[in-house]
Amino acid sequence: MALLERDGELAALRDAAAAAREGRGSVVLLAGDAGIGKSALVQAWAGDPGADVRMLVGWCDDFLTRRPLGPLHDVARGMGAPLADALAAGDTGGVLDALLAELAYPLQATVLLLEDVHWADDATLDAVRYIGRRIHDLPAVLALTYRDDEVGPGHPLTGVLGAMPAGIVHRIGPRRLSRAAVAQLTFGSGLDPDEVVRVTDGNPFFVTELAAAGPAADASHGDAAPASVSDAVLGRLRKLPQPAQRAVEALSVVPGLVAGDLVAALVDDVADLADAERGGVLAMEGADVRFRHELARRAVLAALPSSIQLRHQRTVLDRLLKEVSEVPERLVLQDLASPRPVTAPPQPRALADHDAARLLHHAVKAGRGDVIARHGPSAAHEAFLTGAYRQAVEHQDQVLPHADAVAPHDLAVLLLERAWSLHNLHRFEDAVGASERSARIYAELGDSEARCRVLLTHARMLYMARRVDDAFAALDEAAGLVPVRDEVEAELRSNRLSLLHLADQHDRVLAEAEAAIAAAKAAGRSDLIAHNESYAGGSAAFLGDIDAGIAQARRGLHIASGNGWLEPTARTYTNLIDLLVVARRWEEAQQLIDEALSFFDDQDFRAHRHNALGQRARVALRRGDWSTARPLTGELSDSAADGMLAMFALELDASLAVRTGVGDAEAALARAWEVAQASRAQQHIVPVACAAIEWAWTADRPDAAEPYIRAALAAAGSTIWLGPLRWRLPLLGLPADPGGVLVEPERTSLSGDWRTAARGWDALGMPFEHAIELLRSGEQAPALEALQIFERLGAGPAARTARMALRDLGLRTIPRGPMSATRANPLGLTARQAEVLELLADGLTNAEIAEHLVVSVRTVDHHVSTVLQKLGVSSRKQAAERAAAFGAG
């Protein structure tokens, strides 16, 4: 069939190829419903003589569990080494390097086309993210097709696409066909074009299927189109000779490409496929076969009786099992804090990881629990090692109902890897259960060393699930299992050091750090050295030695990144960011957050990314940029499933409610306080307590803050967290000692020099604290300046408190009015809100506005919502009309 009404889309694709030939790479997103013509479009592009591109194509298939790096294996079949070698070795870094090398091919523009990425596994999505963030200066195009109706806000692909540099992304959405195009495609079929449009809504695949099927055979339909597209597909199938029909039915149980040897096992006579190919049902790729469209395969499969499906599934499975004559090797217990095994090098698997998903898919469909128990652990292991954590969990879910048939050691490894996979998916309570079960199996096996190492993981999972006492108990139990090898002893010391730091036992961290670092050096473990330097530096800084502590934490980051450690680099980034924010080194913190987010996005470190976003929101809050902090809070809330990750969103939500007066501040504080206390971490307890003091001050309820203050003072101890807490106590009429571990400007302020302290807050760029300092002066002029700052910030509760203070100071005429930041705008909008309104009035969608402003769509969503609320309108159209009326658009 001819490709109709796609000139504009083809032109956009040609432009992308032309730019690539000039060294300006890009990402092309082809999105639309199933059957809308995405694949037909890229095939036409590839076949266009003027395109002059080298096409590398891979497919994501609809297996029960996705193939780890499946589409890249497809690409490698046409390329060979080094990509094929890296994939065979399970070398994820080598895979990425090989892809970049191919895309840098200097003699011709290269298109890396990945089809149906809505079905992509996590490891493939990691590769897509990595390549997409680097393709801008390569002579290449990364083209992705996907069904946008299957990619919602929670779909993993959404986050990957959001990480792409906005300026290089081109979105192409093939349109539905017009009536004229439908009439052209159905000419001579005997069908009424209007009826076809009604049935298909202009979907090209549906139209071509109906045209091929012709009028319904049932006389009751007259010359009408078949009742459904499924009927049309089956109508096309019934026109084939019986042998060809049987061949197509047998092949329908296999998603994606059917390899030639499997075709031979399923089909009595391969020559029968020629009729199906001529009939437009199948497409041949050498000896391999693929359905012309996945929708057609599903239609054929759905029409088969269950007994026939089961027979074909068992035939496929038996054929795949013939290729896997060996029993999978025993799984290797990995050092999960590093990218290499501790006890032994990885053993070759009897089944390639990208084929494991295929075998397990058919084993489940065929009801063969023995096959699942035999090969499932290996498949889950390979998915885990590639970083495909969702797929690892899916494989593990398939295996666990058959756990009694799995060797105990392999089951223990599977459960340990399950714990880390669930950790990466933010399912901390589930991770606790998996690590606990793994440790129990090793106890039954009498393997003390393995149990010790699993307990280290278990302790971390318990901490993330807010079970701090249980986490220390797990470490104590692990310590009781020694003596073990020096390397495991080093791991134990390192894990203990990190938990002591997270539990704010900083004196004990410094007491144990030297021995932990020495043990790590003796074991030759630079990853553990980096960890220990990072945590020791953090504790030193919190105890007041800020410069030396930050320098030591930087040394830890340098060791981790310099030696190529991934998780240790992520953790040391996180620790150093935390220190810089607490030390109020805003510029350094912002720079490191940007650098770290790029690293976290490349490596898909979701929990660390969440922490970095939380610290970015903290910086925005403390610097008075609340319009940035609020949408970040929403993003943090959406990405936190449970455990410690929920804390940032709750803390920031409470602080914003207190300062802006928007929402139920008391309820928000109660929610945040519950989680902060469960964390037993000063970095969460003290900020919530500070917000509670501010709320009690503006609400004139000083006694309400007493429980917060008591607990926070105990948590802060003799650390620099004490300063922000003590400095706020005078707001409630409470005394505050200027001694101890205090930093500036708190020390100067509590010593009575408010002028110097106010200049200090101003120099730090902390306007809310600056205004509080001015208000506490007890003088009219500084208090008036404080009121102006509060109004400019939108700090309604503090502004009301400032007005009351000014009356107490004898001022009878107190200026009122909107914040000075919005007075220049006739609609009362901030500069960023006015910019959003202007783009909205130009007809841009939120996604397009986000791309223009280089922010997330969620940030734009919040800005648009605020603009509509300020304008008192309910639609974008009304907002644009108001903007035009005031000349603000």
Side-chain angles (χ1 to χ4, degrees):
M1 291 287 183
L3 189 66
L4 302 178
E5 299 183 334
R6 294 293 184 260
D7 291 346
E9 291 87 344
L10 280 171
L13 293 172
R14 292 188 189 108
D15 289 345
R21 286 193 291 274
E22 296 174 359
R24 293 181 287 112
S26 63
V27 177
V28 172
L29 306 179
L30 290 128
D33 298 345
I36 200 66
K38 303 180 291 293
S39 296
L41 184 58
V42 294
Q43 287 166 12
W45 181 31
D48 180 2
D52 189 26
V53 294
R54 185 176 60 128
M55 298 289 292
L56 307 176
V57 186
W59 291 267
C60 303
D61 297 315
D62 190 23
F63 291 112
L64 290 176
T65 301
R66 315 306 183 201
R67 297 183 298 157
L69 297 175
L72 300 188
H73 284 276
D74 295 336
V75 171
R77 277 197 292 270
M79 287 173 42
L83 179 59
D85 292 343
L87 287 166
D91 180 3
T92 305
V95 168
L96 298 176
D97 289 342
L99 278 174
L100 285 177
E102 284 296 328
L103 297 178
Y105 182 70
L107 303 180
Q108 190 179 20
T110 300
V111 174
L112 175 60
L113 169 62
L114 303 182
E115 293 260 37
D116 293 325
V117 290
H118 54 280
W119 289 329
D121 63 284
D122 283 349
T124 295
L125 291 179
D126 288 346
V128 167
R129 180 192 295 106
Y130 189 89
I131 296 299
R133 289 164 56 81
R134 289 163 174 76
I135 203 167
H136 54 87
D137 57 356
L138 295 174
V141 178
L142 174 61
L144 310 174
T145 72
Y146 62 96
R147 299 180 187 175
D148 52 2
D149 59 337
E150 295 191 20
V151 179
H155 195 286
L157 179 60
T158 301
V160 172
L161 299 183
M164 302 287 185
I168 66 165
V169 176
H170 308 295
R171 298 176 184 270
I172 298 176
R175 299 159 293 161
R176 297 183 181 279
L177 298 178
S178 68
R179 184 196 179 281
V182 170
Q184 185 175 341
L185 288 173
T186 58
F187 181 77
S189 67
L191 297 175
D192 178 356
D194 291 322
E195 178 67 7
V196 173
V197 170
R198 185 190 69 78
V199 172
T200 67
D201 195 25
N203 182 292
F205 173 73
F206 298 169
V207 172
T208 57
E209 288 303 304
L210 291 178
D218 188 342
S220 65
H221 286 88
D223 288 340
S228 69
V229 174
S230 178
D231 290 341
V233 171
L234 297 177
R236 183 193 285 244
L237 179 65
R238 283 192 290 268
K239 292 181 179 180
L240 299 177
Q242 282 295 323
Q245 289 187 42
R246 288 195 296 270
V248 170
E249 290 171 349
L251 293 171
S252 70
V253 301
V254 184
L257 191 71
V258 188
D261 54 352
L262 186 54
V263 172
L266 287 167
V267 177
D268 294 335
D269 187 349
V270 177
D272 293 332
L273 299 180
D275 290 321
E277 183 180 16
R278 284 192 293 269
V281 178
L282 300 178
M284 304 295 295
E285 300 179 14
D288 303 336
V289 180
R290 184 185 292 274
F291 273 78
R292 193 169 67 85
H293 200 285
E294 174 66 11
L295 290 174
R297 184 190 72 83
R298 291 186 179 186
V300 174
L301 179 63
L304 288 180
S306 297
S307 59
I308 303 300
Q309 290 189 35
L310 183 60
R311 175 161 59 84
H312 292 321
Q313 293 285 4
R314 288 175 174 172
T315 298
V316 173
L317 183 60
D318 289 343
R319 176 63 193 182
L320 292 175
L321 288 172
K322 287 181 180 178
E323 301 174 8
V324 189
S325 57
E326 304 172 31
V327 176
E329 297 285 347
R330 181 180 177 183
L331 301 187
V332 176
L333 178 63
Q334 300 284 319
D335 166 25
L336 300 175
S338 72
R340 65 178 177 83
V342 169
T343 56
Q347 299 298 311
R349 300 271 72 84
L351 182 67
D353 59 313
H354 67 289
D355 289 330
R358 187 182 300 274
L359 185 144
L360 268 294
H361 172 92
H362 293 291
V364 172
K365 292 290 187 180
R368 289 285 301 276
D370 59 323
V371 176
I372 297 170
R374 181 182 182 189
H375 295 286
S378 179
H381 182 65
E382 297 294 348
F384 175 80
L385 292 182
T386 64
Y389 299 119
R390 283 183 302 127
Q391 287 67 51
V393 169
E394 288 167 358
H395 279 316
Q396 293 152 5
D397 287 341
Q398 292 167 347
V399 171
L400 289 175
H402 311 283
D404 290 345
V406 179
H409 170 86
D410 283 358
L411 182 59
V413 173
L414 179 144
L415 288 165
L416 178 61
E417 292 175 350
R418 182 176 179 82
W420 278 105
S421 298
L422 292 166
H423 172 277
N424 281 295
L425 298 175
H426 298 178
R427 293 170 53 186
F428 302 120
E429 282 292 350
D430 292 338
V432 167
S435 57
E436 183 177 32
R437 188 175 171 187
S438 178
R440 188 164 59 246
I441 292 173
Y442 279 122
E444 294 167 355
L445 292 172
D447 190 338
S448 296
E449 179 174 306
R451 178 171 170 78
C452 176
R453 295 179 58 215
V454 172
L455 284 170
L456 303 184
T457 292
H458 186 50
R460 181 164 184 83
M461 302 307 156
L462 286 164
Y463 175 81
M464 293 304 295
R466 306 199 303 263
R467 294 165 57 180
V468 180
D469 288 336
D470 291 341
F472 274 108
L475 283 186
D476 290 341
E477 183 180 354
L481 295 172
V482 292
V484 292
R485 289 184 301 110
D486 289 346
E487 189 164 17
V488 180
E489 171 69 17
E491 290 179 11
L492 175 60
R493 287 183 178 276
S494 181
N495 277 270
R496 179 175 175 80
L497 203 69
S498 66
L499 191 57
L500 286 171
H501 174 86
L502 293 170
D504 303 320
Q505 299 186 32
H506 301 301
D507 288 325
R508 294 179 66 185
V509 170
L510 296 188
E512 297 185 21
E514 185 175 347
I517 293 171
K521 288 180 177 178
R525 291 286 297 276
S526 60
D527 59 321
L528 300 181
I529 297 171
H531 275 146
N532 298 339
E533 294 277 16
S534 176
Y535 285 115
S539 289
F542 287 148
L543 289 173
D545 197 354
I546 295 175
D547 290 340
I550 289 176
Q552 187 173 12
R554 283 195 180 278
R555 186 161 64 246
L557 175 60
H558 177 75
I559 292 169
S561 60
N563 285 277
W565 298 108
L566 297 182
E567 199 282 338
T569 298
R571 200 182 300 191
T572 50
Y573 261 130
T574 294
N575 291 347
L576 183 55
I577 289 168
D578 292 352
L579 286 186
L580 293 173
V581 172
V582 174
R584 299 169 185 154
R585 298 188 179 183
W586 309 130
E587 301 306 324
E588 288 182 70
Q590 292 280 29
Q591 182 179 353
L592 195 68
I593 288 169
D594 290 341
E595 181 182 316
L597 283 173
S598 179
F599 177 81
F600 298 155
D601 283 338
D602 281 345
Q603 306 301 332
D604 198 26
F605 283 115
R606 302 177 195 182
H608 289 291
R609 186 181 196 280
H610 183 98
N611 192 90
L613 283 180
Q615 294 293 13
R616 172 173 281 176
R618 272 183 173 172
V619 172
L621 173 74
R622 294 171 188 177
R623 302 193 78 178
D625 185 6
W626 299 348
S627 63
T628 295
R630 187 174 295 283
L632 282 172
T633 300
E635 186 173 347
L636 289 164
S637 180
D638 288 346
S639 65
D642 59 16
M644 295 299 183
L645 293 188
M647 191 59 244
F648 272 117
L650 293 171
E651 171 203 318
L652 293 160
D653 183 60
S655 295
L656 285 167
V658 167
R659 291 191 174 184
T660 65
V662 177
D664 189 338
E666 187 172 7
L669 281 168
R671 290 191 297 270
W673 188 242
E674 180 183 2
V675 179
Q677 285 188 299
S679 76
R680 292 168 51 184
Q682 57 192 194
Q683 72 153 320
H684 296 310
I685 291 173
V686 172
V688 177
C690 288
I693 294 171
E694 293 175 10
W695 166 74
W697 167 56
T698 57
D700 196 22
R701 294 176 56 186
D703 292 344
E706 193 275 334
Y708 293 90
I709 294 170
R710 185 174 60 251
L713 285 172
S718 299
T719 71
I720 60 174
W721 284 107
L722 192 61
L725 193 61
R726 273 196 195 164
W727 177 77
R728 284 169 171 80
L729 294 181
L731 292 175
L732 305 181
L734 299 173
D737 185 352
V741 185
L742 299 182
V743 295
E744 296 296 352
E746 284 96 341
R747 183 186 299 280
T748 297
S749 174
L750 294 178
S751 298
D753 185 356
W754 68 265
R755 288 184 175 82
T756 301
R759 287 193 293 270
W761 292 119
D762 190 38
L764 283 171
M766 298 175 69
F768 191 82
E769 287 77 4
H770 180 210
I772 288 177
E773 197 72 62
L774 292 171
L775 188 61
R776 291 205 303 210
S777 68
E779 300 179 11
Q780 284 188 2
L784 272 172
E785 185 181 351
L787 173 60
Q788 292 171 355
I789 293 172
F790 287 140
E791 288 183 336
R792 184 173 70 246
L793 289 172
R800 289 191 294 273
T801 301
R803 291 179 184 281
M804 293 172 60
L806 283 165
R807 291 190 186 94
D808 292 342
L809 290 172
L811 193 64
R812 295 292 172 259
T813 304
I814 302 173
R816 291 185 177 274
M819 296 179 295
S820 59
T822 61
R823 287 179 186 140
N825 186 287
L827 299 176
L829 304 178
T830 65
R832 176 47 62 93
Q833 290 163 0
E835 190 175 9
V836 168
L837 177 57
E838 182 178 355
L839 296 171
L840 182 154
D842 287 341
L844 273 66
T845 66
N846 285 15
E848 291 167 338
I849 294 172
E851 184 172 342
H852 181 84
L853 297 179
V854 197
V855 296
S856 72
V857 175
R858 181 168 299 280
T859 297
V860 174
D861 291 342
H862 283 280
H863 282 318
V864 170
S865 177
T866 302
V867 167
L868 295 181
Q869 183 179 11
K870 282 190 174 184
L871 300 186
V873 298
S874 59
S875 72
R876 302 164 74 90
K877 181 180 178 182
Q878 292 172 340
E881 290 171 351
R882 294 238 20 222
F886 280 86

